[in-house]
Amino acid sequence: MTEARKLFIKTYGCQMNVYDSERMAEALGAKGYVLTDTADDADMVLLNTCHIREKAAEKVYSDLGRLRPLKLSKPDLKIGVAGCVAQAEGEEILKRMPLVDLVVGPQSYHRLPDMLERAEAGARVVDTDFPEEDKFDHLPERKVTRGPSAFLTVQEGCDKFCAFCVVPYTRGAEVSRPFARLMDEARALVGKGVREITLLGQNVNAWSNDGRGLGGLIRELARIDGLERLRYTTSHPNDMAEDLIEAHGTEPKLMPYLHLPVQSGSDRILKAMNRKHTAEQYLRLVERIRAARPDILLTSDFIVGFPGETDTDFEATLDLIRAVGFGSAFSFKYSARPGTPAAEKPELPADLCDARLQTLQALLSEQQRATQEAMLGRELGVLYEKAGRMPGQMVGKSDYLHAVHVADAEARPGDLVRVRITASGPNSLAGERIGA
């Protein structure tokens, strides 16, 4: 019997990349590859890259450099670069890194088996096209290896063209996957034991198909027997349609958690970012969402130090954070992405950006602690995902996406239980199961 070849995938960045890595592993499974946890014993190494953060390409090149000794010791090892850096850099990766055998963009990874076949024949292959065919039509059936929760990509690409963002250039225009195919894939996931599905998209709430928006899709998915929880990410404030807001109040399977990036609280900076909404519009949107689901936990994204940001602009961002009260948030110093409009503008001094980021993160951390402490004594639903570090301990996610540790020796992953929260830590909660 032929020994299976081993595949190591390193995933950078967002949940979309996590999903894409799973699908690439399934595509290469058709070539006889099985996943391994280390590059050292791999027959193929695939770096699934992200281009959002500062110096993303340099990090990938650095990681590739660390693979050089392994490639020298194993000449038959195949090395590939996938994802958004692959899309942005293309042929340049092959020029700078002779050890790389193939480069594939995020819209072309269904072609990986054919690309690998050509690489095994001695070619160095690049595919960063935006093909006309739907890659999902060419991928094998989903396999579930991550437990009772799964991602489902429903939408890709972005038409918003925020001045700081490369996504429209690396992921392409907004495309919604067909309703019927999403329903089929969701049913298949549930049939394999999935109890919670997170719908993914660069602008997931822009999804529309067959006369439905995302709210309609959620309602249909909620009718699937055995599917207990639904979430979605990442959203744009301009695409929060009324039927989606209403679904937060009427659909019990839609969890009370929403990631709604705002980026800044200054109208002047929001306009420079090409966000096409104001701080006041965002605040009124939050009011409508909370009217539909008063207990919803909101998270967001913030960029500090965007070109031209003044002290007054920064204070407006702090004011918005105080007004909303976030459960948590991602926050970053602005860093120029090559090819974006903002990259042509002069950047602010690094020490000023550092100071603003520390101030903003201190406020967000205070709000996060208050949110978690407010969970003490509450009874929450928790979906167990894996065994904890302590004997007899289980770890799962609450309705509000908090990690929760519970002493529950008789439980197993996939159990959905009621838990009374008894303790709050920096990044997680602890509780005791209610009932048997």
Side-chain angles (χ1 to χ4, degrees), residues 10 51-52 77 115 118 124 151 154 159 169 174 230 247 259 270 277-278 321 347 349 367 387 390 398:
K10 180 174 181 178
H51 209 288
I52 294 297
L77 174 70
M115 295 177 67
R118 291 160 60 193
R124 302 180 75 209
F151 295 130
V154 303
D159 295 342
Y169 313 102
E174 290 180 2
L230 284 162
H259 186 65
L270 288 169
H277 63 79
T278 65
I321 293 171
E347 296 188 30
Q367 291 189 347
M390 305 297 291
S398 77

Side-chain angles (χ1 to χ4, degrees), residues 21-304:
S21 289
E22 292 175 357
R23 302 313 310 267
M24 285 188 276
E26 290 161 3
L28 291 171
K31 296 285 291 181
Y33 282 85
V34 296
L35 285 171
T36 181
D37 294 330
T38 174
D40 293 339
D41 65 351
D43 299 289
M44 181 176 183
V45 173
L46 192 60
L47 305 183
N48 189 15
T49 62
C50 175
H51 209 288
I52 294 297
R53 304 294 168 235
E54 184 177 8
K55 300 181 180 177
E58 286 80 354
K59 178 175 175 57
V60 173
Y61 286 121
S62 177
D63 285 350
L64 287 169
R66 284 191 283 271
L67 289 171
R68 187 176 287 110
L70 183 62
K71 179 78 167 183
L72 291 173
S73 67
K74 298 172 64 174
D76 291 334
L77 174 70
K78 299 304 176 189
I79 296 178
V81 179
C84 290
V85 171
Q87 185 71 38
E89 298 281 307
E91 295 275 358
E92 183 65 21
I93 295 174
L94 297 188
K95 293 177 183 177
R96 288 183 57 176
M97 286 290 173
L99 78 163
V100 174
D101 299 287
L102 60 89
V103 177
V104 59
Q107 301 304 332
S108 303
Y109 63 71
H110 59 292
R111 298 174 178 170
L112 263 175
D114 292 335
M115 295 177 67
L116 181 57
E117 194 171 295
R118 291 160 60 193
E120 288 171 342
R124 302 180 75 209
V125 191
V126 176
D127 189 340
T128 54
D129 291 341
F130 290 97
E132 291 184 7
E133 75 268 18
D134 185 347
K135 67 185 177 188
F136 297 100
D137 289 345
H138 300 271
L139 291 167
E141 182 182 349
R142 293 286 303 273
K143 296 179 181 178
V144 179
T145 58
R146 290 173 52 83
S149 299
F151 295 130
L152 175 57
T153 290
V154 303
Q155 180 272 343
E156 289 194 287
C158 182
D159 295 342
K160 299 297 188 287
F161 288 93
C162 296
F164 53 83
C165 185
V166 297
V167 167
Y169 313 102
T170 59
R171 290 275 184 170
E174 290 180 2
V175 176
S176 295
R177 293 185 62 196
F179 168 76
R181 293 177 188 171
L182 294 174
M183 294 298 295
D184 288 344
E185 189 169 338
R187 291 189 189 100
L189 288 169
V190 173
K192 291 179 171 67
V194 166
R195 305 194 72 186
E196 175 182 271
I197 290 177
T198 299
L199 309 178
L200 298 181
Q202 270 80 36
N203 282 325
V204 66
N205 53 339
W207 181 89
S208 63
N209 182 257
D210 199 24
R212 295 178 178 85
L214 189 65
L217 174 62
I218 286 169
R219 289 184 180 89
E220 294 297 326
L221 289 169
R223 296 179 181 178
I224 298 175
D225 289 339
L227 179 59
E228 303 296 338
R229 288 174 155 192
L230 284 162
R231 306 182 191 272
Y232 62 93
T233 194
T234 289
S235 306
H236 193 287
N238 291 358
D239 291 322
M240 284 298 299
E242 287 303 320
D243 74 316
L244 179 56
I245 295 173
E246 181 184 344
H248 277 282
T250 59
E251 180 44 64
K253 290 186 180 180
L254 180 58
M255 293 294 96
Y257 172 94
L258 176 61
H259 186 65
L260 191 64
V262 62
Q263 307 299 353
S264 174
S266 161
D267 288 348
R268 196 178 69 85
I269 295 301
L270 288 169
K271 183 176 181 180
M273 289 177 166
N274 196 35
R275 291 289 290 174
K276 295 186 172 67
H277 63 79
T278 65
E280 181 66 19
Q281 287 169 338
Y282 184 88
L283 291 172
R284 299 292 77 78
L285 174 60
V286 167
E287 286 182 356
R288 299 205 309 276
I289 294 168
R290 283 181 167 156
R293 185 69 194 254
D295 67 326
I296 197 165
L297 188 151
L298 294 173
T299 67
S300 196
D301 293 344
F302 292 93
I303 295 173
V304 301

Side-chain angles (χ1 to χ4, degrees), residues 366-388:
E366 179 183 320
Q367 291 189 347
Q368 180 176 344
R369 287 194 300 272
T371 299
Q372 293 199 178
E373 289 170 4
M375 297 292 167
L376 291 172
R378 290 187 60 181
E379 295 181 8
L380 307 179
V382 175
L383 177 63
Y384 289 152
E385 295 183 336
K386 61 183 179 179

